[in-house]
Amino acid sequence: MLSQARTFARASRLLSRFVKAKSPANATTPVAAWALAPLSRAAYKTSAPVSAAPPPPSPTPLAKMSDNFIDGTSAAYLEQLEMQYAKDPASVPRSWANYLNALGSTTPDALAEGYANYQKGQAAAAPAAAPAADAVTHQTIQESMRLMLLVRAYQVNGHMKSNLDPIGLDKRPRVIELEPSLYGFTEADLDREFFLGTWRMKGFLSEDRPVRKLRDIVKRLEEAYCGSIGYEYMHVPDRDRCNWLRERIETATKKSYSADRKKRILDRLAWGTMFENFLSTKYTAAKRFGLEGGETLIPGMKAMIDKAAELGVESIVMGMPHRGRLNILGNVVRKPLSHIFNEFQGGVRPDKEGGYTGSGDVKYHLGTSFDRPTHSGNSIHLSLVANPSHLEAVNTLVLGKVRAKQFYMGDENRSKSMPLLLHGDGSFAGQGIVMETLDMSGLPDYTVGGCIHIVVNNQVAFTTNSKTTRSTEYCTGVAKGMDVPIFHVNGDDAEAVSHVFELAAEWRQAWKCDVVIDLVCYRKFGHNEIDEPSFTQPLMYEIIRKHKDAHTQYCEKLLAEGTMTQQEIDSLHKMISDTLADEFEKGKDVKSQKRNWLTSYWAGFKSPDQLSKVQSTGIPRDSLMKIGKCISEIPDTVRMHRGVKKVYDTRAKMLASGEGIDWATAEALAFGSLMLEGNHVRLSGQDVERGTFGHRHAVIHDQKTDEEYTPLANLYEGQPPGMFTVTNSSLNEFGVLGYELGYSMENPDSLVIWEAQFGDFANGAQVIIDQFISSGEAKWLRQSGLVLLLPHGYDGQGPEHSSARLERFLQMSDEDPNTVPNMDRETRTQIQSCNWQVVNITTPANYFHCLRRQLHREFRKPLIVMSPKNLLRHPEAKSTLDEFDDIEPNDMQGSRFRRLIMDDSASSREMDPPPELGFKKVIFCSGKIYFELSAERAKLGLQDSIALCRVEQLCPFPFDLCARELRRYPNAQVQWCQEEPMNMGAWSHVLPRFFPIMKSAGRSIEHEFSYAGRKVSAATATGFGELHAAEQASVIAQAMTLKE
């Protein structure tokens, strides 16, 4: 043990630090290095004003300054100062006088009177004799500091001594930091009284706490920090937040529940336990990923929901993995138990009329939503988001959905809608998306006012022990880096679980920031009910087999303390058993299930089986000019960079002349037009405010003040804040794309766009694309109109800046290539029947109509855009203002999106156009390569021999329009041209679709349909500039070659 002198010296050092800078931050930082990890003073923040620092104490003589620190120098100085103060309070600096008076150190009544006189500027009275040696007034400065260190040790490390593991496998070393003897206290000191009051602190260190014996202080510290709950919060660099927690943790007496509350906890625990038991009896061989071993989650969550509703929360959106999902659906969200039992029996597909006939998903992936009454008489809307087996993937979807709810509810302080995420211990520590989720918590356009995270800690991940799943003491260690408080709780203590869950709800509503609950429990069976866990955890499961469940333990506790009788418990159990049996019988006759997790905003939207007609997307010319003025005329008070000013000046000229409308202008016109129609527009991604390629400049930065001006945020008078949101995201794809998908699912009247920095980086979010966007409607009957802008194009930038992997999106489309769909204008449902749309657009006007089309229909589909790079400023990639308005041209196209753009020489859009017999070749292509083909064709003078048709929409495929072009050019060779390698791009998608098209035209695809493009390749593109140019020239040459 350290010597007393060393203890005194270190205590003195800390106390002198306190005096030197008496700020709220420093009041909580003093701690010996051997007791606790040091806390950075610079990083320590406070929410309250800081008073001016008091004058420093008298300097130590130079001779004494040469002493070694661990000698008694500092202690001697403090003792001398104390004695000097006892003689005359006016003889010591005011800061020390204030501090010594607060401690009551050797201060009898007369000395206190002298202190009071000193404060008034009067002469100090002589002090009376000191009281008995065992009185509080004989508490020395050193003892006070040592006691403060002991309290802080409990606050920081008390969780290390907590009883957290219900099965007792977590054997921890002795926590010497929590032993009073380390701080110089002996058995004789335990019955001495001490005062701990410290300025602007709460809990044990509060100024208003009574004098207490050391024995009582230690006992209460043990109860508060070393029981069934372990708190980690001292890493939070905010005094007021820490004090808020201390007030609730360090209460004068131990918290206890009333008899009624205990009965309610048992009722909820019994439902959770008996539900699992019922399923295990009825479906012995079924995978259900039950909650056995963690059943206290149910009363905990219900207590949390009650508390949240009491504090003003109206809606909770939840995301969770498969473990315990069915229990939460039935007992927390209140999904009818008969429906859950029906799903075990195979379920039924929804009636086709007015419904969906998708692929469906396993029962433990499904979502739902209900309005649930609370115990206090309130009502709260609960929704559980459907998710795949990819653990943690649903996290940011939940956040995005909550943020959208807050926008539409006008919930500016984020008190009415709250996210709740459940995690597994292995995934919380191991999945990177967890950190991406936590990182969003404080970002201005992503924050949701705090998320409650619940880690259902099985202490094993599938078959992997915790020691091989993380490097931290706890699975929640990652959250400490984001200043999030963590509450560890023993899953067998039902009352402690309920308390912690309520505390988390209070924290979230009070501080609008994240909080983590670590529910330490166990998994009664293996990863699923038919798995054998003893293969890999034999000792753990030997203990678990003998372990009483939490429900049994709590029944015994309530019986022992007389809260309930055996008859009352038996009656409760019978009621639950009878209800489960009745619901089981009802489940046999359950009919089709409605999409009961859709919000009212989606009422009236149509399924793929219901007809929705094509609508015009042009807008009146006066609306175009109103938007044009907003996006081109910037107030003089905004001092723009000269390069940005040039962009806006050029835009103004475009709009004035109606010629040369570029990509960014068309996009801004689309955004503005949708907003004028009452729709919300949100664009996010890396660098989207300026645009990766410097073309958008949606946010202008004042060059003198750095203030931001967003033109479209000032489109019309009375425009709600956030109606147009454009925001740069954090540097990740997975989390942000998931967030925007969740945002898009809340309200169909919103255009939500995620733009990748380069399309190549979209595969960082592949889980979201594969598991949610491409298949979410088929699996879960959820529509989304989310737009992905993925910059794509081969221009010599290498294999990581060329391809958005167009082939992957096309491969995942669910369109049948062998069946030509009905394309009658009045009855076609091609887009409705497909899982998403994939486009590769070549004109600004077509981009404008494509974006507007997303909202001008009675259904929603994801839109994947292979957005351009060098076409953003290409002189030929321009449109006229006439192509944007709502004046119908004299042809069948109308003012809407063009799925295929004919050759410049073609004029008729009739489905049976006059044949053009002189053309020898018709090339179908998509994207920017059209402009290279067109330039080479003009150079060679082949405009009358080669026709170029641009396929703007690749999925669903324009069968009808491609067939029309074959009828237009009956004598022409047919070729597909692309700049991607043959095993990439659209070739493998286009080829099978041309089989029925060629067959219908009476032509042989084997002899008349050819390919022009790069050869197969493992890499998307070459990194050598000269090789790229040679390859590109070869592709163009292939296309321009005519067979004799």
Side-chain angles (χ1 to χ4, degrees):
M1 191 189 328
L2 297 170
S3 69
Q4 187 173 17
R6 183 178 181 185
T7 303
F8 285 4
R10 288 184 179 249
S12 304
R13 178 190 176 200
L14 293 168
L15 187 56
S16 63
R17 283 174 59 191
F18 168 77
V19 174
K20 286 179 184 177
K22 193 174 181 182
S23 69
N26 286 300
T28 56
T29 52
V31 56
W34 44 264
L36 306 167
L39 190 60
S40 170
R41 241 172 61 184
Y44 216 94
K45 297 182 251 180
T46 178
S47 302
V50 180
S51 61
S58 302
T60 303
L62 184 61
K64 288 187 176 289
M65 292 291 287
S66 64
D67 290 346
N68 188 292
F69 176 72
I70 64 171
D71 291 338
T73 300
S74 299
Y77 167 71
L78 290 175
E79 290 169 351
Q80 182 181 8
L81 189 68
E82 185 180 17
M83 290 186 289
Q84 185 178 343
Y85 174 77
K87 293 177 182 178
D88 180 7
S91 65
V92 300
R94 181 180 296 271
S95 61
W96 280 111
N98 290 339
Y99 185 72
L100 291 169
N101 181 69
L103 287 178
S105 178
T106 63
T107 314
D109 294 340
L111 193 57
E113 182 180 349
Y115 172 79
N117 291 335
Y118 165 61
Q119 290 285 71
K120 297 174 184 177
Q122 301 173 4
D134 59 348
V136 175
T137 51
H138 269 219
Q139 178 181 330
T140 65
I141 296 175
Q142 293 80 16
E143 286 177 322
S144 172
M145 288 305 304
R146 284 187 273 129
L147 187 52
M148 290 172 66
L149 288 174
L150 175 61
V151 172
R152 183 176 173 86
Y154 271 95
Q155 292 169 341
V156 175
N157 285 329
H159 59 89
M160 296 298 294
K161 192 178 176 182
S162 297
N163 175 28
L164 299 178
D165 183 5
I167 56 176
L169 283 177
D170 185 16
K171 306 297 184 184
R172 297 190 173 191
R174 175 182 170 192
V175 188
I176 62 170
E177 292 89 349
L178 306 182
E179 297 183 11
S181 59
L182 184 65
Y183 304 90
F185 296 109
T186 66
E187 284 289 327
D189 295 319
L190 290 177
D191 291 314
R192 288 178 56 201
E193 291 184 323
F194 292 86
F195 176 74
L196 278 172
T198 301
W199 178 58
R200 292 194 67 239
M201 293 288 283
K202 298 296 182 182
F204 285 111
L205 300 182
S206 172
E207 289 179 291
D208 55 6
R209 277 295 171 88
V211 173
R212 302 183 71 170
K213 291 182 179 180
L214 178 60
R215 184 185 305 278
D216 295 334
I217 292 173
V218 173
K219 178 185 176 183
R220 188 67 195 98
L221 284 169
E222 287 281 324
E223 290 174 344
Y225 287 105
C226 304
S228 295
I229 305 172
Y231 297 98
E232 286 190 278
Y233 67 92
M234 293 294 282
H235 57 277
V236 177
D238 187 292
R239 167 186 293 279
D240 291 343
R241 296 183 185 190
C242 288
N243 274 339
W244 186 93
L245 282 172
R246 276 190 281 264
E247 279 189 293
R248 286 153 180 80
I249 298 168
E250 301 174 3
T251 54
T253 58
K254 187 177 180 181
K255 179 177 176 60
S256 62
Y257 283 115
S258 67
D260 286 343
R261 281 299 308 274
K262 291 178 180 180
K263 290 177 182 179
R264 192 186 315 156
I265 291 172
L266 179 63
D267 177 89
R268 292 168 168 179
L269 181 55
W271 271 104
T273 303
M274 294 181 70
F275 175 80
E276 296 293 355
N277 293 341
F278 186 85
L279 290 181
S280 67
T281 302
K282 295 294 184 181
Y283 309 105
T284 55
K287 290 182 182 180
R288 52 186 172 83
F289 299 96
L291 193 56
E292 290 97 336
E295 297 95 336
T296 52
L297 176 67
I298 301 302
M301 287 187 67
K302 297 184 86 168
M304 173 189 291
I305 291 167
D306 287 343
K307 177 60 69 173
E310 179 186 318
L311 297 173
V313 176
E314 299 174 7
S315 171
I316 296 178
V317 182
M318 296 183 285
M320 67 174 297
H322 40 278
R323 172 155 158 75
R325 190 182 190 91
L326 298 178
N327 208 322
I328 287 174
L329 280 169
N331 287 311
V332 177
V333 185
R334 300 281 182 87
K335 180 176 180 176
L337 296 176
S338 58
H339 287 194
I340 296 175
F341 296 144
N342 174 264
E343 290 161 5
F344 272 97
Q345 297 164 19
V348 293
R349 299 179 78 187
D351 293 334
K352 187 169 184 178
E353 183 179 354
Y356 276 95
T357 55
S359 64
D361 200 355
V362 292
K363 51 193 167 292
Y364 40 81
H365 287 171
L366 301 177
T368 193
S369 74
F370 281 95
D371 290 315
R372 175 187 178 278
T374 64
H375 186 78
S376 59
N378 297 311
S379 178
I380 191 166
H381 183 77
L382 303 178
S383 58
L384 179 61
V385 177
N387 65 273
S389 286
H390 292 63
L391 298 175
E392 309 294 341
V394 77
N395 291 0
T396 55
L397 271 82
V398 169
L399 301 188
K401 187 173 174 63
V402 169
R403 176 76 182 212
K405 280 182 177 291
Q406 292 169 346
F407 173 79
Y408 290 108
M409 295 169 72
D411 184 14
E412 294 183 6
N413 65 0
R414 316 206 182 282
S415 296
K416 298 178 182 178
S417 189
M418 181 180 87
L420 172 60
L421 290 174
L422 283 82
H423 315 266
D425 49 320
S427 61
F428 194 81
Q431 293 291 318
I433 184 63
V434 172
M435 178 52 77
E436 294 182 21
T437 303
L438 292 169
D439 184 53
M440 288 182 175
S441 62
L443 303 183
D445 289 307
Y446 297 89
T447 182
V448 291
C451 175
I452 298 178
H453 301 266
I454 303 171
V455 181
V456 181
N457 186 349
N458 302 320
Q459 306 186 71
V460 60
F462 203 155
T463 66
T464 306
N465 291 323
S466 58
K467 66 181 180 182
T468 53
T469 62
R470 62 179 187 266
S471 299
T472 54
E473 176 69 26
Y474 299 106
C475 61
T476 54
V478 65
K480 293 182 72 173
M482 302 304 296
D483 303 332
V484 175
I486 302 163
F487 308 148
H488 309 276
V489 60
N490 187 317
D492 269 5
D493 190 336
E495 292 179 17
V497 170
S498 293
H499 170 63
V500 158
F501 277 58
E502 289 178 319
L503 180 62
E506 292 181 54
W507 167 273
R508 191 272 175 185
Q509 287 299 91
W511 298 106
K512 300 298 185 296
C513 58
D514 288 18
V515 59
V516 174
I517 298 171
D518 178 18
L519 180 64
V520 185
C521 51
Y522 58 92
R523 192 183 65 196
K524 184 175 180 180
F525 302 108
H527 178 63
N528 57 66
E529 287 70 22
I530 59 177
D531 188 42
E532 176 48 69
S534 295
F535 290 158
T536 50
Q537 281 78 35
L539 178 59
M540 173 183 281
Y541 278 88
E542 182 181 354
I543 295 172
I544 289 173
R545 279 189 289 270
K546 302 173 183 177
H547 188 74
K548 291 181 181 178
D549 61 42
H551 173 248
T552 301
Q553 292 183 50
Y554 199 51
C555 285
E556 292 175 353
K557 178 180 184 295
L558 297 189
L559 286 170
E561 66 186 29
T563 302
M564 292 186 75
T565 66
Q566 187 64 55
Q567 184 179 0
E568 289 176 312
I569 293 175
D570 292 343
S571 177
L572 171 65
H573 290 171
K574 184 179 185 306
M575 181 272 293
I576 296 173
S577 295
D578 291 346
T579 303
L580 290 171
D582 289 344
E583 291 296 312
F584 178 78
E585 291 301 319
K586 292 178 184 177
K588 297 176 181 179
D589 299 318
V590 168
K591 302 301 180 185
S592 61
Q593 301 175 32
K594 297 179 180 178
R595 292 175 291 154
N596 52 13
W597 55 85
L598 294 181
T599 63
S600 58
Y601 298 119
W602 288 84
F605 275 76
K606 297 183 176 180
S607 74
D609 302 311
Q610 297 172 301
L611 179 65
S612 175
K613 294 184 179 180
V614 178
Q615 301 177 19
S616 175
T617 50
I619 63 173
R621 180 59 70 102
D622 59 347
S623 295
L624 284 170
M625 299 314 295
K626 177 178 181 178
I627 303 164
K629 182 177 180 180
C630 172
I631 63 174
S632 62
E633 299 181 9
I634 309 303
D636 294 336
T637 54
V638 181
R639 290 157 291 192
M640 293 189 283
H641 186 280
R642 63 176 180 271
V644 177
K645 187 175 187 305
K646 182 178 179 181
V647 169
Y648 276 86
D649 289 345
T650 303
R651 181 177 293 177
K653 293 176 182 176
M654 293 176 191
L655 293 164
S657 67
E659 302 289 335
I661 306 297
D662 64 10
W663 211 271
T665 304
E667 180 184 75
L669 289 171
F671 293 165
S673 65
L674 291 170
M675 290 165 58
L676 288 179
E677 294 165 349
N679 299 294
H680 173 37
V681 175
R682 177 182 170 91
L683 167 64
S684 89
Q686 297 161 26
D687 312 301
V688 297
E689 295 177 6
R690 190 204 75 170
T692 300
F693 310 102
H695 70 291
R696 183 175 289 122
H697 293 290
V699 177
I700 302 170
H701 294 262
D702 189 293
Q703 295 299 296
K704 299 297 184 181
T705 66
D706 202 28
E707 292 182 2
E708 297 179 354
Y709 179 79
T710 305
L712 281 173
N714 300 275
L715 178 59
Y716 58 89
E717 188 174 349
Q719 181 174 322
M723 193 68 173
F724 175 70
T725 299
V726 55
T727 179
N728 292 336
S729 74
S730 57
L731 196 64
N732 77 71
E733 291 79 32
F734 190 171
V736 175
L737 180 56
Y739 188 100
E740 302 307 334
L741 175 60
Y743 201 103
S744 73
M745 291 163 61
E746 175 61 17
N747 190 319
D749 296 326
S750 60
L751 181 68
V752 182
I753 303 174
W754 175 72
E755 182 176 67
Q757 191 180 66
F758 282 84
D760 313 62
F761 305 154
N763 56 14
Q766 203 66 45
V767 171
I768 300 296
I769 294 168
D770 291 357
Q771 310 308 131
F772 291 92
I773 301 175
S774 72
S775 57
E777 185 175 10
K779 293 189 293 188
W780 308 314
L781 316 185
R782 287 306 316 264
Q783 293 186 11
S784 166
L786 180 66
V787 179
L788 275 65
L789 301 182
L790 310 178
H792 175 86
Y794 283 57
D795 44 22
Q797 293 193 56
E800 272 71 57
H801 295 84
S802 297
S803 175
R805 308 304 300 227
L806 170 62
E807 63 280 356
R808 293 180 177 173
F809 295 97
L810 295 175
Q811 184 187 33
M812 284 189 284
S813 68
D814 63 355
E815 180 183 60
D816 184 355
N818 301 311
T819 303
V820 177
N822 168 34
M823 295 304 296
D824 180 81
R825 182 180 292 271
E826 298 299 319
T827 60
R828 66 189 183 197
T829 60
Q830 187 192 29
I831 292 180
Q832 285 174 264
S833 302
C834 201
N835 61 328
W836 57 16
Q837 310 149 96
V838 182
V839 298
N840 195 4
I841 301 171
T842 58
T843 76
N846 223 22
Y847 178 48
F848 167 88
H849 288 293
C850 190
L851 292 178
R852 286 184 50 76
R853 183 179 69 162
Q854 280 297 95
L855 299 192
H856 281 266
R857 48 170 58 140
E858 298 171 297
F859 60 91
R860 293 290 178 263
K861 292 286 176 181
L863 172 64
I864 314 300
V865 181
M866 298 290 114
S867 55
K869 293 183 288 184
N870 63 19
L871 293 192
L872 297 172
R873 298 182 180 85
H874 197 288
E876 299 300 319
K878 306 287 185 182
S879 298
T880 65
L881 208 56
D882 293 339
E883 297 175 76
F884 297 81
D885 64 30
D886 60 353
I887 300 174
E888 293 284 343
N890 296 320
D891 55 47
M892 295 180 63
Q893 176 66 30
S895 182
R896 57 177 64 94
F897 176 71
R898 299 185 178 190
R899 295 175 291 139
L900 181 146
I901 299 179
M902 306 180 300
D903 185 76
D904 292 342
S905 64
S907 58
S908 173
R909 288 192 171 87
E910 297 288 338
M911 294 310 294
D912 286 309
E916 301 282 350
L917 303 178
F919 281 83
K920 300 178 180 179
K921 192 175 194 179
V922 55
I923 299 175
F924 292 89
C925 62
S926 188
K928 83 169 184 71
I929 198 169
Y930 162 78
F931 294 98
E932 296 170 71
L933 291 171
S934 179
E936 186 66 13
R937 181 180 65 171
K939 178 181 176 182
L940 298 174
L942 296 175
Q943 294 94 326
D944 296 330
S945 300
I946 299 178
L948 299 176
C949 298
R950 287 172 268 177
V951 180
E952 301 279 285
Q953 178 177 288
L954 289 159
C955 175
F957 196 72
F959 289 91
D960 55 330
L961 301 183
C962 289
R964 181 191 68 187
E965 298 311 303
L966 291 187
R967 289 190 289 271
R968 191 191 307 276
Y969 307 108
N971 298 332
Q973 306 163 26
V974 184
Q975 189 174 67
W976 175 260
C977 182
Q978 66 179 39
E979 55 185 353
E980 300 89 352
M982 179 182 268
N983 56 321
M984 302 176 193
W987 169 242
S988 59
H989 177 79
V990 168
L991 178 59
R993 284 159 179 78
F994 261 90
F995 273 98
I997 295 173
M998 297 285 283
K999 184 177 180 180
S1000 67
R1003 303 177 70 168
S1004 169
I1005 193 166
E1006 290 85 356
H1007 299 98
E1008 300 183 59
F1009 191 60
S1010 60
Y1011 165 82
R1014 284 176 168 81
K1015 297 178 181 179
V1016 295
S1017 172
T1020 55
T1022 178
F1024 301 106
E1026 289 185 8
L1027 181 56
H1028 163 77
E1031 288 179 347
Q1032 199 76 357
S1034 174
V1035 171
I1036 303 302
Q1038 291 175 53
M1040 292 295 110
T1041 301
L1042 296 172
K1043 293 182 180 179
E1044 294 298 331

